[in-house]
Every structure is written in structure tokens, then in C-alpha cells.
């Protein structure tokens, strides 16, 4: 068995001007796991994901991908290994969904960039997986927010990466589509041992699907480990500054319901 981590970040600092955005953050994830990064707005989640993707360089610390320092990867090698879905999608692009998804193949195409049958099959698979096959010919500017999000997820899948880095992939999706994306990631985890590191504000989706989680607070790791430990009201409350009630459920660990701290939901 290959003991190396798919993603291994140690002691990451990231400073912007005089502001320390991340301080001594570490995160490891093996192949075939979903690792959720959670935390309040501004806690450094996007910055951490961008460091893992190699879009930002840390002020201190190291990132290894499949056992090899990230800086030793060429752009092409990186693109063949990792797909990154940013939090804010780019503005209007004059493309159809299929054309966008085909861009995900760039790292696999030859020098001439000619589209092969394998490319077309990969695009079809990705469109299908992200449930946008019916939108292949639609222009991006005509899509709803959720459809756009799924089109970009399809593009990331079309890269056929070993590692998926997703920044709030379910943010603009309705509950059913959010679940579908998580089921898709769970399927990739078991079928292809894909390692997914994802930022999420949906604590319940993360608690249900993640194998491991990192809770950030003010640029530091507040808690890290199994979801049952991280997604506990006593861990979340000091970080988010609100209360959390666990609602019993027969479909899993029970939903976390946030409430204003000075109101006791049991007495309302
Ligand atoms: N380019 C930047 N310049 C200055 N501050 C930044 C920059 N990018 C992010 N920050 C700050 O770093 C902190 C973490 O940002 P971010 O990683 O986007 O947080 P999150 O994704 O958890 O909401 C925030 O306080 C944000 O204002
Ligand atoms: Mg963010």
C-alpha cells in the first residue's frame, strides 16, 4: 500500500501585507477520502484551498501532493493530478456547457489540442455525472446559478483528477442537487479512490459525507479529525459564536440546527 498522503500540508502560514491570514495550518488527506474544510466567513478556508491548489504560495510551510512537493509539479502535471473549483465562478463566458467541459481536457490533449474520441467520451461522462447532459448545447450565460455550478463541476470531473479541490461546490444548489453532488463525490471516492478536499458551509452535508474535517477559526485549526468529533455543538459554538442544537434523526447522526446564543431553543 502506498503510505503517502494524496494531500499533505504542514505548518502553512500565509500573510497578506501585515495580516496573517493562516497560521501554522496542517491538513492531510489520503486517496479515497472526502475531507471537509469548515469555519466562519473569513476564517481562511479559500486561502487554504488555494495554497493546496498551488494558486498561492505559502509564506512558510510545505504542501506535498502524492508525496511530492507541489512546487516540483509543472502546470501540466498539476492539471493532470488536481482539479480546482473556485468559490466565485468567472463572469460571462461565450461558451456552451459542452465547450466549457471540454476545456477540462486540455491537460490530456496533445500539442495540437485536437479533440479525440476519448475526449468526447470523457466530456459525455462528466456531463452525465454532474447531471448537465441535457444542457450540453446551452450557453453559459443562460444558466441558473445552480446549473452553472454543476457545469463547472463537470469541467473539473472532465480533468479526471486524482485530487478534487472544491470551494463551496454545493453553495448555490437546492437541497436535492446538493445531495446529488455529494453522492457523486462519494461515488468517485469509492470507485476511483479520488481524494476530495472541499470547503463547505453546509455543516450537515459535510457531517454526513466527509471522512475527516478541519474546522478553521481566525486562520488557525480549531479542531481536526473525525466528523463525529468536529461537528459537535461544543466544538462549533465557540468558533461560530452561535448555539447548535442536535436534532435527533433516523437518517444519520442528527441535524445540527444553529440558534442565537442568547436564546435557548428548548424554552422557545
Ligand atoms: N487578497 C487579499 N488581501 C487581503 N486580505 C485577504 C485577501 N484574501 C483574503 N484576505 C483575508 O483573509 C481572510 C481569509 O479569507 P478567505 O480565505 O477568503 O476566508 P473564507 O474562505 O474562510 O471566507 C479574510 O479576513 C480576508 O479578508
Ligand atoms: Mg471562501
Amino acid at each position: 500500500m502506498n503510505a503517502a498522503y494524496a494531500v499533505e500540508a504542514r505548518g502553512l502560514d500565509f500573510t497578506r501585507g501585515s495580516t496573517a491570514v493562516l497560521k501554522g495550518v496542517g491538513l492531510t488527506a489520503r486517496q479515497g477520502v472526502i475531507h471537509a474544510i469548515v469555519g466562519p466567513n473569513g476564517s481562511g478556508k479559500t486561502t487554504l484551498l488555494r495554497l493546496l491548489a498551488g494558486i498561492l504560495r505559502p509564506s512558510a510551510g510545505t504542501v506535498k501532493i502524492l508525496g511530492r512537493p507541489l512546487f516540483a509539479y509543472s502546470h501540466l502535471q498539476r492539471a493532470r493530478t488536481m482539479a480546482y473549483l473556485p468559490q466565485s465562478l468567472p463572469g460571462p463566458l461565450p461558451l456552451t456547457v459542452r465547450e466549457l467541459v471540454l476545456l477540462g481536457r486540455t491537460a490530456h490533449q496533445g500539442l495540437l489540442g485536437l479533440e479525440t474520441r476519448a475526449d468526447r467520451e470523457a466530456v459525455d461522462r462528466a456531463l452525465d455525472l454532474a447531471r448537465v447532459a441535457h444542457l450540453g448545447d446551452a450557453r453559459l450565460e443562460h444558466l441558473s446559478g445552480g446549473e452553472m455550478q454543476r457545469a463547472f463541476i463537470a469541467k473539473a470531473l472532465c480533468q479526471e483528477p486524482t485530487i478534487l479541490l472544491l470551494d463551496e461546490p454545493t453553495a448555490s444548489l437546492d437541497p436535492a442537487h446538493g445531495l446529488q453532488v455529494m453522492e457523486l463525490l462519494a461515488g468517485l471516492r469509492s470507485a476511483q479512490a479520488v481524494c476530495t478536499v472541499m470547503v463547505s458551509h453546509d455543516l450537515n452535508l459535510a457531517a454526513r459525507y466527509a471522512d475527516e474535517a478541519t474546522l478553521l477559526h481566525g486562520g488557525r485549526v480549531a479542531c481536526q479529525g473525525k466528523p463525529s468529533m468536529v461537528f459537535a455543538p461544543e466544538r462549533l459554538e465557540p468558533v461560530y459564536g452561535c448555539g447548535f442544537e442536535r436534532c435527533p434523526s433516523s437518517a444519520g447522526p442528527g441535524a445540527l440546527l444553529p440558534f442565537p446564543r442568547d436564546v435557548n431553543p428548548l424554552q422557545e
Side-chain angles (χ1 to χ4, degrees), residues 14 16-17 19-22 37-50 56 87 167-168 199 201 216 219:
F14 184 77
R16 276 266 185 213
T19 311
V21 177
L22 290 181
I37 301 172
V38 298
N41 296 133
S43 56
K45 304 179 296 298
T46 292
T47 304
L48 175 56
L49 207 66
R50 287 163 68 89
L56 295 174
Q87 179 174 1
D167 201 343
E168 301 196 23
V199 172
H201 274 305
L216 289 182

Side-chain angles (χ1 to χ4, degrees), residues 157-168:
L157 296 177
C158 201
Q159 260 173 266
E160 299 185 327
T162 314
I163 298 163
L164 271 172
L165 304 173
L166 309 175
D167 201 343
E168 301 196 23

Side-chain angles (χ1 to χ4, degrees), residues 75-207:
H75 277 291
L76 191 62
Q77 288 169 334
R78 213 192 288 168
R80 283 180 180 164
T81 310
M82 293 193 280
Y84 168 72
L85 178 77
Q87 179 174 1
S88 16
L89 302 177
L93 293 170
L95 297 173
T96 65
V97 171
R98 174 168 269 283
E99 287 164 348
L100 171 79
V101 175
L102 183 63
L103 291 178
R105 293 299 296 168
T106 312
H108 296 277
Q109 286 172 333
L111 275 181
L112 295 176
L114 295 176
E115 185 184 326
T116 64
R117 187 166 155 191
D119 291 329
R120 282 191 290 278
E121 285 171 0
V123 170
D124 285 337
R125 265 198 309 279
L127 288 169
D128 229 24
L129 279 169
R131 303 198 183 232
V132 281
H134 60 295
L135 295 171
D137 296 325
R139 302 194 62 78
L140 290 177
E141 67 258 37
H142 295 154
L143 300 186
S144 73
E147 290 167 343
M148 181 81 108
Q149 186 78 7
R150 284 182 287 135
F152 275 86
I153 289 172
K155 173 175 176 275
L157 296 177
C158 201
Q159 260 173 266
E160 299 185 327
T162 314
I163 298 163
L164 271 172
L165 304 173
L166 309 175
D167 201 343
E168 301 196 23
T170 61
S172 51
L173 303 183
D174 63 52
H177 280 115
L179 281 167
Q180 279 169 7
V181 165
M182 294 312 300
E183 285 290 324
L184 159 62
L185 298 177
L188 292 172
R189 164 179 62 186
S190 47
Q192 289 159 43
V194 168
C195 168
T196 298
V197 180
M198 61 178 288
V199 172
S200 181
H201 274 305
D202 191 325
L203 300 177
N204 287 303
L205 274 189

